[in-house]
Amino acid sequence: VVAPVDENAYLRGIAAVDPGLTVNHDRALRRGANICDDIAAGKDEPTILGNARERLAGGNATITDEQAADAVALARLHLCR
C-alpha cells in the first residue's frame, strides 16, 4: 500500500531543515514536486541532490549538501508517488 501524499508533513519536515524554506508554502511544495519529477525521470542520485540544492538555495535559505539530502528524503517520504 502506497501512503498518500502528505503536504503538511513535508512542510513541517522541510521547515525543520531550514525555516526559510517554508516562507512560501506553494513555492516549497513546487520545489518538492520538482524533486519528485527528477526521481521519476530516473536521474541519478548526485543529479537529484544537486538539483535539489540549487532549487532550494537562495531566496530565504542557504542549503548545504546534507540539507539537500534531507529535503530529497522528505520529498520521497511525503510527496513522491
Side-chain angles (χ1 to χ4, degrees):
V1 176
V2 176
V5 168
D6 189 342
E7 291 179 346
N8 289 325
Y10 175 77
L11 290 170
R12 284 191 305 273
I14 208 76
V17 171
D18 186 308
L21 294 174
T22 57
V23 169
N24 179 320
H25 287 189
D26 290 337
R27 181 175 58 203
L29 292 170
R30 278 194 312 273
R31 289 175 174 172
N34 292 143
I35 293 169
C36 295
D37 290 344
D38 280 354
I39 293 165
K43 295 183 180 177
D44 62 31
E45 199 67 14
T47 300
I48 293 167
L49 292 172
N51 287 350
R53 182 174 180 186
E54 187 175 307
R55 286 183 187 113
L56 297 172
N60 298 300
T62 301
I63 301 302
T64 66
D65 290 340
E66 183 178 335
Q67 289 170 312
D70 290 344
V72 170
L74 288 162
R76 278 191 171 111
L77 180 63
H78 297 299
L79 298 179
C80 304
R81 299 292 178 263

